[in-house]
Amino acid sequence: MVDGMPDASRFRNAVTPLIELACRGRKDCVIRAYGEMVDVLWKAGHTVAAVRLETLWNQLAQSHAFALLCGYSMGHFYKDAAHQAICRRHSHVSSDPQSDSATVH
C-alpha cells in the first residue's frame, strides 16, 4: 500500500513470483488462489482501495493463468452501493445466506 492504496508495482513484485513458483515452469499450469484482502479493506471502509486491488488482480490475469476466489462477509459487503463495482470485476458471484458470506471468482 502507498498512501492508502494498493501499489501496482509492489503488487506485481509480490504476487508474480508466487504464481511462477507454484507452477515451477509447467506449461498450462493454473493456480487457484484465495483472496480475502479485498474484504479486509472493505470492512475497514476502504472501498476505493478494495476496488483497486480487484483491478490489480484482473490486470495480472492478463499475463498469468490463475483462478482467484475471493471471500466477502455479506454484512459488510452490501452496506455500500460500491459493491456492484466489485461484482463487475468477477465472472461469478455466489452467496450463502446461512453463513452470511459470498464467494466470487
Side-chain angles (χ1 to χ4, degrees):
M1 302 283 281
V2 174
D3 296 326
M5 291 294 288
D7 179 75
S9 178
R10 289 180 180 191
F11 174 81
R12 280 190 309 274
N13 290 339
V15 177
T16 300
L18 297 173
I19 292 172
E20 292 171 353
L21 177 65
C23 281
R24 294 182 183 90
R26 293 174 285 166
K27 298 212 184 253
D28 300 322
C29 174
V30 178
I31 301 300
R32 286 168 181 75
Y34 175 79
E36 65 178 336
M37 191 62 198
V38 172
D39 190 47
V40 170
L41 290 168
W42 198 274
K43 286 178 184 177
H46 304 294
T47 56
V48 174
V51 172
R52 173 70 177 143
L53 183 55
E54 290 285 3
T55 299
L56 293 176
W57 277 110
N58 287 339
Q59 289 172 348
L60 187 61
Q62 300 300 311
S63 60
H64 291 79
F66 62 87
L68 179 64
L69 305 172
C70 304
Y72 298 91
S73 171
M74 296 306 291
H76 295 282
F77 190 59
Y78 282 112
K79 285 183 180 177
D80 189 316
H83 75 275
Q84 292 178 358
I86 296 292
C87 292
R88 285 191 300 268
R89 285 166 174 75
H90 293 85
S91 59
H92 299 81
V93 177
S94 60
S95 63
D96 180 357
Q98 293 179 349
S99 69
D100 188 39
S101 66
T103 303
V104 292
H105 48 96

XYZ file of all heavy atoms in Angstrom:
815
model
N 0.851 -1.181 0.000
C 0.000 0.000 0.000
C 0.893 1.239 0.000
O 1.910 1.271 0.682
C -0.891 0.025 1.236
C -1.807 -1.187 1.413
S -3.235 -1.153 0.363
C -4.276 -0.023 1.231
N 0.497 2.222 -0.779
C 1.160 3.512 -0.803
C 0.078 4.573 -0.664
O -0.873 4.594 -1.459
C 1.965 3.719 -2.109
C 2.529 5.128 -2.173
C 3.073 2.690 -2.225
N 0.183 5.386 0.348
C -0.826 6.426 0.610
C -2.240 5.847 0.675
O -3.185 6.403 0.128
C -0.747 7.540 -0.439
C 0.575 8.295 -0.388
O 1.126 8.451 0.721
O 1.056 8.711 -1.456
N -2.383 4.686 1.295
C -3.684 4.079 1.490
C -4.256 3.336 0.302
O -5.411 2.908 0.341
N -3.475 3.189 -0.757
C -3.954 2.498 -1.956
C -2.977 1.389 -2.337
O -1.766 1.548 -2.192
C -4.068 3.474 -3.125
C -5.166 4.506 -2.978
S -6.814 3.790 -2.991
C -6.952 3.340 -4.696
N -3.496 0.279 -2.863
C -2.600 -0.771 -3.362
C -1.730 -0.224 -4.491
O -2.216 0.471 -5.379
C -3.563 -1.841 -3.887
C -4.844 -1.589 -3.160
C -4.905 -0.103 -2.970
N -0.448 -0.529 -4.435
C 0.504 -0.063 -5.423
C 0.714 -1.149 -6.474
O 1.044 -2.292 -6.131
C 1.829 0.277 -4.738
C 2.873 0.754 -5.703
O 2.761 1.906 -6.154
O 3.791 -0.034 -6.018
N 0.537 -0.801 -7.750
C 0.608 -1.782 -8.834
C 1.959 -2.471 -8.896
O 2.042 -3.704 -9.021
C 0.288 -1.116 -10.170
N 3.017 -1.731 -8.796
C 4.358 -2.311 -8.894
C 4.644 -3.250 -7.721
O 5.132 -4.365 -7.908
C 5.395 -1.189 -8.945
O 6.690 -1.731 -9.000
N 4.334 -2.826 -6.535
C 4.552 -3.672 -5.359
C 3.693 -4.929 -5.421
O 4.125 -6.006 -5.038
C 4.268 -2.893 -4.084
C 5.310 -1.834 -3.802
C 4.997 -1.092 -2.537
N 6.012 -0.073 -2.291
C 6.122 0.593 -1.173
N 5.274 0.357 -0.179
N 7.044 1.498 -1.030
N 2.468 -4.768 -5.891
C 1.581 -5.922 -6.022
C 2.176 -6.949 -6.983
O 2.295 -8.128 -6.650
C 0.205 -5.465 -6.507
C -0.734 -6.595 -6.806
C -1.423 -7.230 -5.784
C -0.927 -7.029 -8.111
C -2.286 -8.279 -6.060
C -1.785 -8.072 -8.388
C -2.463 -8.698 -7.360
N 2.549 -6.499 -8.183
C 3.136 -7.415 -9.166
C 4.409 -8.065 -8.633
O 4.628 -9.259 -8.813
C 3.427 -6.684 -10.479
C 2.219 -6.490 -11.360
C 2.597 -5.977 -12.747
N 3.469 -4.812 -12.718
C 3.037 -3.553 -12.616
N 1.754 -3.309 -12.561
N 3.891 -2.550 -12.609
N 5.257 -7.269 -7.992
C 6.516 -7.798 -7.469
C 6.311 -8.822 -6.351
O 7.159 -9.695 -6.148
C 7.410 -6.660 -6.978
C 7.947 -5.818 -8.106
O 8.006 -6.253 -9.255
N 8.335 -4.598 -7.795
N 5.213 -8.734 -5.637
C 4.934 -9.681 -4.559
C 4.220 -10.938 -5.054
O 4.540 -12.051 -4.633
C 4.093 -9.000 -3.476
N 3.267 -10.775 -5.960
C 2.404 -11.895 -6.353
C 2.965 -12.703 -7.523
O 2.886 -13.935 -7.521
C 0.976 -11.390 -6.664
C 0.084 -12.522 -7.131
C 0.380 -10.720 -5.436
N 3.549 -12.041 -8.506
C 4.047 -12.746 -9.691
C 5.030 -13.865 -9.340
O 4.876 -14.989 -9.832
C 4.667 -11.758 -10.693
O 3.663 -10.820 -11.084
C 5.200 -12.469 -11.916
N 6.028 -13.631 -8.485
C 6.950 -14.727 -8.153
C 6.255 -15.910 -7.476
O 6.649 -17.062 -7.674
C 7.965 -14.090 -7.199
C 7.883 -12.632 -7.442
C 6.463 -12.374 -7.874
N 5.210 -15.656 -6.719
C 4.479 -16.746 -6.066
C 3.755 -17.614 -7.086
O 3.759 -18.847 -6.985
C 3.485 -16.185 -5.047
C 4.091 -15.418 -3.884
C 2.995 -14.780 -3.040
C 4.974 -16.319 -3.046
N 3.139 -16.992 -8.069
C 2.461 -17.744 -9.125
C 3.479 -18.559 -9.916
O 3.272 -19.739 -10.195
C 1.669 -16.798 -10.050
C 0.490 -16.182 -9.278
C 1.177 -17.530 -11.296
C -0.231 -15.095 -10.022
N 4.579 -17.924 -10.276
C 5.610 -18.626 -11.045
C 6.230 -19.764 -10.253
O 6.498 -20.841 -10.799
C 6.664 -17.623 -11.515
C 6.095 -16.671 -12.558
C 7.018 -15.522 -12.908
O 8.074 -15.350 -12.258
O 6.671 -14.777 -13.851
N 6.445 -19.577 -8.964
C 6.986 -20.641 -8.117
C 6.012 -21.819 -8.034
O 6.421 -22.979 -8.124
C 7.293 -20.110 -6.719
C 7.798 -21.129 -5.707
C 9.153 -21.676 -6.130
C 7.883 -20.501 -4.324
N 4.745 -21.512 -7.890
C 3.751 -22.585 -7.782
C 3.689 -23.420 -9.063
O 3.480 -24.630 -9.009
C 2.379 -22.000 -7.462
N 3.886 -22.797 -10.213
C 3.852 -23.532 -11.486
C 5.156 -24.266 -11.765
O 5.170 -25.249 -12.510
C 3.534 -22.575 -12.634
S 1.786 -22.182 -12.745
N 6.241 -23.779 -11.195
C 7.553 -24.413 -11.365
C 7.864 -24.737 -12.828
O 8.300 -25.832 -13.159
C 7.645 -25.665 -10.519
C 7.624 -25.383 -9.035
C 7.765 -26.674 -8.239
N 7.665 -26.422 -6.829
C 6.545 -26.444 -6.130
N 5.392 -26.693 -6.728
N 6.539 -26.218 -4.839
N 7.567 -23.812 -13.725
C 7.904 -23.981 -15.130
C 6.969 -24.860 -15.934
O 7.178 -25.059 -17.127
N 5.941 -25.413 -15.315
C 4.991 -26.271 -16.041
C 4.123 -25.426 -16.960
O 3.636 -24.385 -16.573
C 4.103 -27.042 -15.067
C 4.873 -28.065 -14.245
C 3.973 -28.689 -13.218
N 3.784 -27.669 -12.161
C 2.873 -27.719 -11.228
N 2.014 -28.708 -11.197
N 2.789 -26.789 -10.318
N 3.902 -25.886 -18.158
C 3.010 -25.200 -19.087
C 1.568 -25.575 -18.737
O 1.305 -26.622 -18.175
C 3.337 -25.603 -20.514
C 4.752 -25.210 -20.897
C 4.818 -24.889 -22.364
C 6.252 -24.594 -22.718
N 6.468 -23.209 -22.945
N 0.655 -24.726 -19.111
C -0.770 -24.949 -18.853
C -1.059 -25.143 -17.367
O -1.962 -25.888 -16.994
C -1.294 -26.142 -19.662
C -1.132 -25.927 -21.155
O -1.338 -24.774 -21.598
O -0.797 -26.887 -21.852
N -0.300 -24.508 -16.531
C -0.495 -24.574 -15.088
C -1.456 -23.467 -14.670
O -1.253 -22.304 -15.000
C 0.855 -24.394 -14.387
S 0.742 -24.295 -12.600
N -2.513 -23.829 -13.997
C -3.458 -22.838 -13.497
C -3.448 -22.901 -11.975
O -3.736 -23.940 -11.385
C -4.883 -23.075 -14.038
C -5.841 -22.045 -13.456
C -4.897 -23.002 -15.553
N -3.119 -21.805 -11.372
C -3.089 -21.682 -9.918
C -4.477 -21.259 -9.452
O -5.133 -20.425 -10.069
C -2.062 -20.608 -9.498
C -0.679 -20.960 -9.999
C -2.074 -20.379 -7.996
C -0.149 -22.260 -9.494
N -4.901 -21.800 -8.345
C -6.138 -21.358 -7.703
C -5.742 -20.649 -6.417
O -5.161 -21.255 -5.528
C -7.051 -22.535 -7.432
C -7.695 -23.039 -8.707
C -8.386 -24.369 -8.530
N -8.977 -24.833 -9.760
C -8.307 -25.344 -10.792
N -7.004 -25.435 -10.745
N -8.934 -25.751 -11.872
N -6.040 -19.374 -6.381
C -5.680 -18.550 -5.231
C -6.949 -18.095 -4.524
O -7.982 -17.877 -5.154
C -4.873 -17.345 -5.692
N -6.847 -17.963 -3.219
C -7.962 -17.444 -2.427
C -7.527 -16.115 -1.836
O -6.450 -16.008 -1.237
C -8.336 -18.416 -1.306
C -9.398 -17.863 -0.398
C -10.730 -17.893 -0.779
C -9.070 -17.280 0.811
C -11.713 -17.364 0.042
C -10.043 -16.747 1.635
C -11.350 -16.797 1.239
O -12.323 -16.266 2.041
N -8.341 -15.107 -2.026
C -8.004 -13.793 -1.509
C -9.059 -13.254 -0.574
O -10.246 -13.375 -0.838
N -8.603 -12.673 0.518
C -9.535 -12.036 1.441
C -9.140 -10.596 1.750
O -9.823 -9.915 2.500
C -9.653 -12.834 2.738
C -8.394 -12.893 3.557
C -8.567 -13.660 4.856
O -9.707 -13.766 5.349
O -7.565 -14.154 5.359
N -8.060 -10.126 1.145
C -7.596 -8.771 1.436
C -8.604 -7.722 1.001
O -8.756 -6.700 1.666
C -6.243 -8.529 0.760
C -5.582 -7.263 1.216
S -5.271 -7.380 2.984
C -5.036 -5.675 3.379
N -9.307 -7.964 -0.088
C -10.319 -7.008 -0.524
C -11.389 -6.874 0.555
O -11.824 -5.769 0.884
C -10.935 -7.418 -1.877
C -12.109 -6.529 -2.228
C -9.885 -7.351 -2.969
N -11.787 -7.985 1.148
C -12.780 -7.941 2.219
C -12.238 -7.203 3.437
O -12.959 -6.444 4.079
C -13.215 -9.354 2.596
C -14.413 -9.374 3.541
O -15.397 -8.646 3.278
O -14.361 -10.106 4.545
N -10.974 -7.408 3.741
C -10.358 -6.702 4.872
C -10.397 -5.193 4.625
O -10.769 -4.411 5.511
C -8.903 -7.190 5.090
C -8.173 -6.313 6.092
C -8.891 -8.646 5.548
N -10.032 -4.783 3.423
C -10.082 -3.360 3.077
C -11.514 -2.835 3.138
O -11.781 -1.750 3.651
C -9.490 -3.131 1.682
C -7.988 -3.323 1.552
C -7.569 -3.354 0.079
C -7.234 -2.233 2.297
N -12.437 -3.637 2.581
C -13.847 -3.231 2.552
C -14.389 -3.023 3.958
O -15.041 -2.018 4.247
C -14.658 -4.302 1.827
C -15.990 -3.812 1.361
C -17.140 -3.772 2.079
C -16.306 -3.294 0.079
N -18.160 -3.274 1.322
C -17.672 -2.973 0.086
C -15.570 -3.100 -1.080
C -18.314 -2.449 -1.016
C -16.217 -2.573 -2.178
C -17.572 -2.249 -2.141
N -14.124 -3.982 4.838
C -14.600 -3.887 6.225
C -14.043 -2.659 6.933
O -14.696 -2.098 7.807
C -14.217 -5.136 7.005
C -15.024 -6.345 6.670
C -14.530 -7.538 7.472
C -15.255 -8.791 7.097
N -14.734 -9.962 7.819
N -12.830 -2.256 6.561
C -12.200 -1.089 7.174
C -12.695 0.222 6.555
O -12.243 1.298 6.937
C -10.684 -1.195 7.052
N -13.604 0.115 5.590
C -14.151 1.309 4.959
C -13.338 1.839 3.797
O -13.597 2.930 3.300
N -12.370 1.066 3.339
C -11.507 1.482 2.229
C -12.010 0.884 0.913
O -11.325 0.108 0.258
C -10.061 1.053 2.495
C -9.515 1.561 3.793
N -9.304 2.899 4.040
C -9.166 0.907 4.921
C -8.831 3.050 5.253
N -8.735 1.854 5.814
N -13.217 1.265 0.521
C -13.835 0.652 -0.650
C -13.096 0.978 -1.942
O -13.001 0.134 -2.829
C -15.314 1.064 -0.771
O -15.406 2.488 -0.806
C -16.123 0.536 0.403
N -12.548 2.167 -2.067
C -11.810 2.532 -3.283
C -10.549 1.673 -3.393
O -10.213 1.170 -4.467
C -11.472 4.039 -3.298
C -10.579 4.390 -4.475
C -12.760 4.870 -3.342
N -9.865 1.471 -2.271
C -8.668 0.621 -2.272
C -9.046 -0.825 -2.583
O -8.305 -1.530 -3.286
C -7.953 0.703 -0.927
N -10.191 -1.271 -2.104
C -10.648 -2.639 -2.375
C -10.892 -2.834 -3.871
O -10.460 -3.841 -4.454
C -11.923 -2.941 -1.581
N -11.551 -1.896 -4.500
C -11.813 -1.982 -5.939
C -10.494 -1.914 -6.706
O -10.297 -2.641 -7.690
C -12.792 -0.880 -6.391
C -12.909 -0.838 -7.903
C -14.161 -1.091 -5.753
N -9.573 -1.107 -6.255
C -8.256 -1.012 -6.906
C -7.526 -2.346 -6.840
O -6.924 -2.784 -7.820
C -7.424 0.086 -6.238
C -5.988 0.163 -6.704
C -5.892 0.672 -8.118
N -4.483 0.798 -8.497
C -4.015 0.535 -9.686
N -4.830 0.170 -10.658
N -2.747 0.655 -9.958
N -7.585 -3.021 -5.698
C -6.929 -4.315 -5.566
C -7.554 -5.337 -6.504
O -6.852 -6.130 -7.139
C -6.982 -4.804 -4.116
C -6.267 -6.112 -3.819
C -4.799 -6.066 -4.247
C -6.373 -6.432 -2.332
N -8.864 -5.320 -6.633
C -9.534 -6.205 -7.592
C -9.032 -5.926 -9.008
O -8.790 -6.850 -9.785
C -11.052 -6.020 -7.539
C -11.699 -6.526 -6.287
C -11.788 -8.037 -6.237
O -11.300 -8.742 -7.145
O -12.371 -8.531 -5.265
N -8.863 -4.665 -9.340
C -8.370 -4.292 -10.665
C -6.956 -4.816 -10.881
O -6.634 -5.324 -11.964
C -8.407 -2.761 -10.830
O -9.766 -2.318 -10.689
C -7.870 -2.322 -12.182
N -6.103 -4.729 -9.868
C -4.734 -5.234 -9.997
C -4.721 -6.739 -10.240
O -3.931 -7.234 -11.048
C -3.920 -4.879 -8.747
C -3.648 -3.393 -8.550
C -2.913 -3.157 -7.233
C -2.870 -2.813 -9.717
N -5.592 -7.476 -9.558
C -5.688 -8.922 -9.797
C -6.105 -9.189 -11.239
O -5.561 -10.068 -11.903
C -6.675 -9.578 -8.834
C -6.102 -9.907 -7.500
C -6.379 -9.317 -6.301
C -5.149 -10.946 -7.208
N -5.651 -9.912 -5.310
C -4.893 -10.916 -5.833
C -4.478 -11.890 -8.001
C -4.012 -11.796 -5.213
C -3.599 -12.762 -7.385
C -3.372 -12.717 -6.008
N -7.083 -8.434 -11.727
C -7.546 -8.627 -13.103
C -6.463 -8.284 -14.114
O -6.330 -8.953 -15.143
C -8.810 -7.804 -13.366
C -10.019 -8.404 -12.685
O -10.038 -9.575 -12.343
N -11.028 -7.585 -12.463
N -5.678 -7.268 -13.844
C -4.571 -6.930 -14.740
C -3.526 -8.044 -14.746
O -2.995 -8.386 -15.800
C -3.939 -5.601 -14.322
C -4.825 -4.415 -14.604
C -4.293 -3.118 -14.022
O -3.365 -3.093 -13.210
N -4.910 -2.011 -14.422
N -3.239 -8.608 -13.592
C -2.275 -9.699 -13.513
C -2.776 -10.918 -14.281
O -1.993 -11.651 -14.880
C -1.986 -10.063 -12.053
C -0.883 -11.077 -11.819
C 0.458 -10.577 -12.335
C -0.786 -11.423 -10.343
N -4.078 -11.107 -14.303
C -4.662 -12.241 -15.024
C -4.447 -12.137 -16.533
O -4.574 -13.139 -17.246
C -6.155 -12.348 -14.724
N -4.095 -10.966 -17.034
C -3.810 -10.799 -18.457
C -2.481 -11.451 -18.849
O -2.282 -11.808 -20.003
C -3.776 -9.317 -18.825
C -5.073 -8.586 -18.562
C -6.236 -9.155 -19.334
O -6.140 -9.373 -20.538
N -7.334 -9.411 -18.660
N -1.587 -11.625 -17.886
C -0.271 -12.175 -18.188
C 0.032 -13.508 -17.487
O 0.996 -14.169 -17.844
C 0.824 -11.165 -17.810
O 0.773 -10.868 -16.430
N -0.781 -13.887 -16.515
C -0.550 -15.124 -15.770
C -1.874 -15.873 -15.592
O -2.907 -15.256 -15.340
C 0.052 -14.822 -14.397
C 1.444 -14.304 -14.478
N 1.731 -12.996 -14.801
C 2.628 -14.927 -14.301
C 3.033 -12.827 -14.809
N 3.614 -13.979 -14.511
N -1.800 -17.189 -15.702
C -3.006 -18.009 -15.560
C -3.224 -18.354 -14.092
O -2.377 -18.965 -13.452
C -2.882 -19.286 -16.379
N -4.354 -17.934 -13.557
C -4.746 -18.300 -12.199
C -6.243 -18.082 -12.056
O -6.850 -17.318 -12.801
C -3.974 -17.498 -11.140
C -4.209 -16.013 -11.206
C -5.270 -15.428 -10.534
C -3.365 -15.206 -11.944
C -5.478 -14.063 -10.603
C -3.559 -13.841 -12.027
C -4.629 -13.267 -11.351
N -6.811 -18.788 -11.136
C -8.212 -18.585 -10.792
C -8.227 -17.978 -9.397
O -7.687 -18.551 -8.457
C -8.968 -19.906 -10.808
N -8.800 -16.819 -9.272
C -8.849 -16.132 -7.992
C -10.239 -16.294 -7.392
O -11.232 -15.929 -8.002
C -8.519 -14.644 -8.172
C -8.550 -13.806 -6.903
C -7.468 -14.267 -5.925
C -8.376 -12.338 -7.247
N -10.275 -16.843 -6.214
C -11.518 -16.973 -5.461
C -11.436 -15.989 -4.306
O -10.457 -15.979 -3.565
C -11.686 -18.392 -4.932
C -11.616 -19.485 -5.990
C -11.593 -20.849 -5.340
C -12.795 -19.365 -6.932
N -12.441 -15.171 -4.176
C -12.446 -14.156 -3.123
C -13.609 -14.420 -2.179
O -14.679 -14.851 -2.616
C -12.604 -12.765 -3.721
S -11.367 -12.352 -4.944
N -13.422 -14.156 -0.919
C -14.490 -14.316 0.058
C -14.828 -12.982 0.682
O -13.945 -12.201 1.027
N -16.103 -12.733 0.822
C -16.571 -11.485 1.413
C -17.611 -11.778 2.480
O -18.466 -12.641 2.303
C -17.241 -10.599 0.360
C -16.330 -10.179 -0.747
C -16.210 -10.940 -1.900
C -15.585 -9.021 -0.624
C -15.356 -10.553 -2.911
C -14.729 -8.637 -1.644
C -14.627 -9.406 -2.770
O -13.787 -9.031 -3.776
N -17.570 -11.028 3.549
C -18.621 -11.065 4.552
C -19.769 -10.216 4.030
O -19.603 -9.017 3.802
C -18.103 -10.507 5.876
O -19.156 -10.343 6.779
N -20.910 -10.824 3.802
C -22.014 -10.123 3.152
C -22.536 -8.959 3.986
O -22.984 -7.959 3.451
C -23.158 -11.092 2.850
C -22.773 -12.168 1.848
S -22.102 -11.509 0.322
C -23.555 -10.764 -0.372
N -22.462 -9.059 5.290
C -22.944 -7.973 6.133
C -22.230 -6.665 5.839
O -22.829 -5.596 5.827
N -20.956 -6.721 5.577
C -20.184 -5.519 5.254
C -20.274 -5.196 3.768
O -20.273 -4.041 3.382
C -18.716 -5.715 5.640
C -18.510 -5.861 7.097
N -18.509 -4.795 7.954
C -18.332 -6.956 7.862
C -18.325 -5.216 9.181
N -18.212 -6.524 9.148
N -20.343 -6.229 2.980
C -20.283 -6.090 1.533
C -21.433 -5.249 0.984
O -21.239 -4.389 0.137
C -20.286 -7.481 0.905
C -19.999 -7.518 -0.562
C -18.822 -7.017 -1.075
C -20.902 -8.089 -1.427
C -18.546 -7.081 -2.427
C -20.641 -8.162 -2.779
C -19.465 -7.651 -3.278
N -22.641 -5.484 1.444
C -23.791 -4.787 0.894
C -24.125 -3.481 1.592
O -25.090 -2.830 1.240
C -25.016 -5.710 0.904
C -24.972 -6.701 -0.221
C -24.808 -8.049 0.030
C -25.054 -6.287 -1.535
C -24.750 -8.966 -1.011
C -24.995 -7.188 -2.579
C -24.853 -8.520 -2.304
O -24.790 -9.422 -3.338
N -23.328 -3.058 2.556
C -23.590 -1.789 3.224
C -23.281 -0.599 2.331
O -23.709 0.498 2.585
C -22.767 -1.683 4.512
C -23.306 -2.533 5.625
C -22.501 -2.328 6.880
C -23.059 -3.200 7.989
N -22.271 -3.097 9.204
N -22.533 -0.810 1.287
C -22.096 0.275 0.417
C -22.537 -0.043 -1.014
O -22.396 -1.160 -1.475
C -20.571 0.378 0.486
C -20.040 1.607 -0.202
O -20.503 1.919 -1.322
O -19.159 2.257 0.374
N -23.056 0.945 -1.695
C -23.512 0.732 -3.071
C -22.363 0.359 -3.999
O -22.588 -0.171 -5.075
C -24.214 1.981 -3.586
N -21.124 0.587 -3.585
C -19.970 0.276 -4.432
C -19.758 -1.221 -4.581
O -18.886 -1.636 -5.340
C -18.711 0.933 -3.857
N -20.554 -2.044 -3.908
C -20.378 -3.500 -4.039
C -20.564 -3.939 -5.487
O -19.985 -4.926 -5.918
C -21.319 -4.268 -3.108
C -22.738 -4.297 -3.544
N -23.628 -3.303 -3.259
C -23.413 -5.226 -4.266
C -24.801 -3.595 -3.785
N -24.709 -4.751 -4.399
N -21.333 -3.188 -6.264
C -21.505 -3.540 -7.674
C -20.196 -3.397 -8.436
O -19.950 -4.119 -9.401
C -22.599 -2.684 -8.299
C -23.970 -3.019 -7.752
C -25.052 -2.138 -8.326
O -24.803 -1.240 -9.114
N -26.282 -2.407 -7.926
N -19.329 -2.483 -8.004
C -18.017 -2.332 -8.638
C -17.179 -3.592 -8.436
O -16.429 -3.993 -9.320
C -17.279 -1.122 -8.076
N -17.324 -4.233 -7.295
C -16.624 -5.488 -7.026
C -17.224 -6.600 -7.881
O -16.506 -7.364 -8.522
C -16.693 -5.862 -5.536
C -15.962 -4.823 -4.678
C -16.153 -7.259 -5.290
C -14.471 -4.783 -4.861
N -18.531 -6.699 -7.898
C -19.200 -7.765 -8.664
C -18.843 -7.688 -10.143
O -18.643 -8.716 -10.787
C -20.704 -7.684 -8.484
S -21.262 -8.096 -6.816
N -18.727 -6.494 -10.698
C -18.391 -6.336 -12.117
C -16.984 -6.825 -12.445
O -16.678 -7.085 -13.589
C -18.537 -4.879 -12.547
C -19.980 -4.438 -12.711
C -20.050 -3.080 -13.400
N -19.354 -2.035 -12.658
C -19.937 -1.236 -11.760
N -21.204 -1.374 -11.469
N -19.230 -0.297 -11.153
N -16.136 -6.969 -11.461
C -14.762 -7.393 -11.692
C -14.590 -8.902 -11.560
O -13.482 -9.404 -11.561
C -13.827 -6.650 -10.749
C -13.621 -5.219 -11.198
C -12.987 -4.344 -10.165
N -12.684 -3.031 -10.708
C -13.570 -2.079 -10.947
N -14.842 -2.292 -10.730
N -13.193 -0.906 -11.421
N -15.700 -9.622 -11.438
C -15.661 -11.074 -11.294
C -16.544 -11.743 -12.334
O -17.517 -11.165 -12.800
C -16.142 -11.474 -9.897
C -15.203 -11.035 -8.822
N -15.251 -9.791 -8.264
C -14.182 -11.689 -8.222
C -14.299 -9.691 -7.359
N -13.632 -10.815 -7.318
N -16.201 -12.980 -12.648
C -17.002 -13.723 -13.615
C -18.197 -14.406 -12.967
O -19.194 -14.652 -13.622
C -16.129 -14.763 -14.332
O -15.570 -15.663 -13.393
N -18.117 -14.716 -11.677
C -19.196 -15.402 -10.968
C -19.318 -14.846 -9.549
O -18.316 -14.530 -8.928
C -18.921 -16.899 -10.851
C -18.811 -17.598 -12.157
N -17.664 -17.588 -12.904
C -19.710 -18.309 -12.863
C -17.848 -18.282 -14.006
N -19.086 -18.728 -14.008
N -20.546 -14.769 -9.072
C -20.795 -14.367 -7.686
C -21.807 -15.353 -7.119
O -22.849 -15.599 -7.708
C -21.374 -12.934 -7.595
C -21.681 -12.574 -6.148
C -20.428 -11.926 -8.221
N -21.477 -15.945 -5.976
C -22.427 -16.827 -5.310
C -22.423 -16.501 -3.831
O -21.418 -16.085 -3.269
C -22.067 -18.302 -5.533
O -20.781 -18.574 -5.020
N -23.571 -16.660 -3.198
C -23.666 -16.330 -1.784
C -24.295 -17.483 -1.012
O -25.006 -18.308 -1.566
C -24.465 -15.058 -1.565
O -25.792 -15.231 -1.994
N -23.989 -17.504 0.262
C -24.537 -18.499 1.186
C -25.217 -17.747 2.318
O -24.562 -17.273 3.235
C -23.422 -19.399 1.726
C -23.937 -20.450 2.687
O -25.147 -20.465 2.982
O -23.123 -21.260 3.143
N -26.541 -17.583 2.246
C -27.247 -16.794 3.258
C -27.107 -17.363 4.673
O -27.181 -16.644 5.639
C -28.701 -16.816 2.808
C -28.786 -17.642 1.592
C -27.424 -18.116 1.235
N -26.877 -18.663 4.774
C -26.743 -19.267 6.099
C -25.437 -18.875 6.788
O -25.362 -18.810 7.997
C -26.850 -20.784 6.012
C -28.241 -21.231 5.608
C -28.335 -22.741 5.487
O -27.329 -23.451 5.500
N -29.556 -23.232 5.367
N -24.408 -18.617 5.996
C -23.133 -18.254 6.600
C -22.824 -16.760 6.469
O -21.788 -16.309 6.911
C -21.994 -19.052 5.980
O -21.795 -18.645 4.633
N -23.735 -15.993 5.853
C -23.527 -14.555 5.669
C -22.220 -14.289 4.918
O -21.462 -13.402 5.255
C -23.550 -13.809 7.007
C -23.532 -12.304 6.814
O -24.193 -11.803 5.889
O -22.844 -11.607 7.602
N -21.944 -15.098 3.877
C -20.724 -14.895 3.115
C -21.004 -15.047 1.631
O -22.018 -15.597 1.235
C -19.633 -15.880 3.543
O -20.017 -17.183 3.212
N -20.073 -14.542 0.838
C -20.166 -14.678 -0.612
C -18.808 -15.082 -1.127
O -17.778 -14.748 -0.573
C -20.599 -13.360 -1.262
N -18.818 -15.837 -2.219
C -17.599 -16.196 -2.918
C -17.718 -15.677 -4.331
O -18.752 -15.856 -4.970
C -17.400 -17.728 -2.932
O -17.390 -18.193 -1.588
C -16.103 -18.093 -3.622
N -16.667 -15.027 -4.795
C -16.674 -14.515 -6.156
C -15.414 -14.980 -6.851
O -14.376 -15.195 -6.256
C -16.780 -12.961 -6.176
C -18.122 -12.510 -5.698
C -15.677 -12.326 -5.372
N -15.546 -15.214 -8.155
C -14.387 -15.581 -8.963
C -14.626 -15.177 -10.380
O -15.638 -14.670 -10.748
C -14.025 -17.062 -8.834
C -15.164 -18.003 -8.973
N -15.469 -18.615 -10.145
C -16.092 -18.416 -8.065
C -16.517 -19.415 -9.958
N -16.906 -19.294 -8.706
